[in-house]
Amino acid sequence: MGDAAAWPVAAAIRHFRDEFEWHVLNPDECLKKNYGLAHYADPIHVAVPA
């Protein structure tokens, strides 16, 4: 099971290597970029059942 723990990370790097490299090479720019998840866990935007 030890090998299987690394499979998701290896797959992410294999498929999205250019994005990982961009984030590593441009740390200041990636802090400014909004990916649409900025308010994902914000309780103000959570729908409350009526």
Side-chain angles (χ1 to χ4, degrees), residues 8-25:
V9 176
I13 293 172
R14 184 171 50 250
H15 293 289
F16 303 104
R17 184 180 184 102
D18 53 340
E19 285 90 348
F20 281 109
E21 289 179 356
W22 183 85
H23 281 276
V24 169
L25 296 174

Side-chain angles (χ1 to χ4, degrees), residues 33-42 45:
K33 191 168 183 170
N34 182 355
Y35 294 94
L37 298 174
H39 299 290
Y40 181 74
D42 191 352
H45 299 285

